[in-house]
Amino acid sequence: LYSALSSLGRLWARRGATVLTVLVMGLALALPLLLSLAVDNLRGFGGALTDSREIAAFLRVDADATAVARTAQALRALPDVAAVEVRDPAAGLDELRRLEGFGEALELVGDNPLPSVLVVAPADDADAARIGALATSVATIDGVDFVQYDLVWRQRLDAALALATRVVWVAGILLALGALLVVGNTIRLDVAARAEEIAVVQLLGGTDGFVRRPFLYAGAWYGLLAAVVAVTGAWLAFAALAGPVARLADSYGASHALLGPGLATSAAVLAAGIVL
């Protein structure tokens, strides 16, 4: 306890240099944290825009309720189908009216021109190949006029997000090494400045652990303070971006709240700072 508090007191005694070191390390921790949170929010934003596993089967405009029910039953009988949701023309028109820029245009349309739509949800364990085969089978069902299938777009988005995640890991490792060099050099200079004190302690019987302990605590304080700076900076950045992101999501007809660092993420960053 004495070593922990005395090392903190030494950092406070030269607080100008301490602040600079903490800010450099905090920036090194904040950048991968912000990149990681940005990737997570992009993944959530993509999911809010569309669930591309679903297959939308548009029926003929003149299909009556009996034909719609018959086609839905035929779709439920296909393999790899988990559920089939029926959306009538009125529901489709209401959904389209809520989208940005469509409300006034739909007022000019007389009768509802939309067909009934059957939304096919594939089985949870169905992979891309099986979903593609299912989409082909749906298109062959009697009464289906057109099939909308967006899995290719989703695969490209997932590939881009996987690449971004890998970039975050590479950047995080490089910046963590930079933080290690900063704190390592700082502690090394502190050791050199206290060389005579260390020699006296060793002559008086101080063990290597006794000599090393204050410097280890100093490194832990640097890491903890830098992690606090990183988490605080991330929260401030996300607070500044929350409004514009919400407006952007609303323009796409989606509802997406920007997710900042949660309790678990903040605790992980604090632990990582101390370990570094």
Side-chain angles (χ1 to χ4, degrees), residues 105-184:
L106 291 175
E107 297 297 332
L108 302 177
V109 179
D111 296 332
N112 189 347
L114 300 179
S116 297
V117 180
L118 302 179
V119 181
V120 180
D124 294 336
D125 60 347
D127 54 16
R130 289 165 59 186
I131 297 177
L134 177 60
T136 302
S137 301
V138 169
T140 62
I141 297 296
D142 185 37
V144 176
D145 188 43
F146 174 73
V147 173
Q148 182 180 357
Y149 172 58
D150 292 334
L151 188 61
V152 175
W153 176 87
R154 184 67 188 190
Q155 287 175 325
R156 291 172 179 170
L157 176 62
D158 289 341
L161 291 174
L163 175 60
T165 302
R166 185 65 58 87
V167 170
V168 169
W169 277 103
V170 173
I173 292 173
L174 293 176
L175 290 169
L177 290 176
L180 278 174
L181 293 176
V182 170
V183 72

Side-chain angles (χ1 to χ4, degrees), residues 204-217:
L204 295 176
T207 63
D208 290 342
F210 182 84
V211 173
R212 186 183 299 116
R213 190 174 296 116
F215 300 105
L216 294 177
Y217 276 119

Side-chain angles (χ1 to χ4, degrees), residues 229-252:
V229 170
V231 173
T232 303
W235 273 112
L236 293 176
F238 275 77
L241 295 174
V245 169
R247 289 190 292 271
L248 176 63
D250 185 66
S251 68
Y252 281 94

Side-chain angles (χ1 to χ4, degrees), residues 59-83:
L59 307 186
R60 297 187 179 94
V61 179
D62 57 354
D64 55 18
T66 303
V68 172
R70 183 170 58 250
T71 305
Q73 189 62 31
L75 291 178
R76 292 188 181 98
L78 293 176
D80 291 328
V81 173

